[in-house]
Amino acid sequence: MEISLREVRDSDLPAFFGQLNDPVANHMAAFTHEDPADRGHFASHWARVRGNPEVTVRTVVGAGPQSDGEIIVGHAAVFGPPEEREVTYWIGREHWGHGVATGALRALLALVPDRPLHARAAADNTGSIRVLEKAGFVVTGHDKGFANARGEEIDEVVLTLLG
């Protein structure tokens, strides 16, 4: 599947909401909102994100030889103050294991030249850690954090992308 990024449109939000409410994906991501099904929180979160000029957020779209148009496969963003800027991405589970997250992250990194960039992942989320490492991130630490999707504190890996 060919991957590209574009500005987020209002019409993308229902797809994001559905992807963020996949229980398997939530468990894997671990660090989610307390109640992903809360539409009010979802709407206010996306209004804040899209209205913040310091956040670069894009819809990840895919197109394949058998698709008639674009497919919304997820979203990717860079946020935070200088020296603490962090990447985040969410790819719909049906697209896992096909290089989509890797392609999306590489496109995001080309769009946002800021360095260093940081990332965090649940320590057992080996797929996401591998995506980050393929993009040049290196493990720079370990931490613990409360994972809403799991209802407990878990280990996380901290990664950094330098120059």
Side-chain angles (χ1 to χ4, degrees):
M1 175 183 305
E2 194 174 314
I3 297 301
S4 62
L5 303 179
R6 65 160 170 72
E7 294 282 339
V8 175
R9 299 175 186 155
D10 291 345
S11 60
D12 299 339
L13 299 180
F16 294 172
F17 187 78
Q19 291 166 345
L20 292 168
N21 275 283
D22 178 325
V24 173
N26 270 297
H27 180 81
M28 185 59 67
F31 301 101
T32 62
H33 179 260
E34 189 175 323
D35 180 7
D38 181 340
R39 282 192 180 272
H41 178 269
F42 174 85
S44 64
H45 168 79
W46 277 98
R48 279 191 316 275
V49 166
R50 292 173 71 193
N52 185 340
E54 295 181 12
V55 175
T56 300
V57 61
R58 296 293 184 267
T59 298
V60 180
V61 295
Q66 299 176 2
S67 80
D68 294 334
E70 68 179 24
I71 302 164
I72 297 170
V73 297
H75 58 274
V78 175
F79 65 95
E83 298 302 315
E84 294 179 28
R85 304 231 350 120
E86 192 167 329
V87 300
T88 185
Y89 51 88
W90 192 284
I91 302 299
R93 183 165 49 109
E94 64 274 20
H95 305 289
W96 291 1
H98 301 285
V100 172
T102 300
L105 182 57
R106 285 183 176 151
L108 182 67
L109 296 176
L111 181 67
V112 180
D114 303 356
R115 303 293 184 269
L117 289 174
H118 305 280
R120 293 176 171 266
D124 61 357
N125 188 345
T126 56
S128 193
I129 293 168
R130 182 71 187 121
V131 165
L132 290 158
E133 289 176 333
K134 282 195 249 183
F137 284 79
V138 294
V139 174
T140 54
H142 298 272
D143 203 354
K144 288 188 176 287
F146 187 81
N148 283 320
R150 300 184 190 180
E152 63 183 344
E153 188 174 87
I154 66 167
D155 294 325
E156 62 183 324
V157 175
V158 179
L159 301 99
T160 304
L161 177 67
L162 299 172

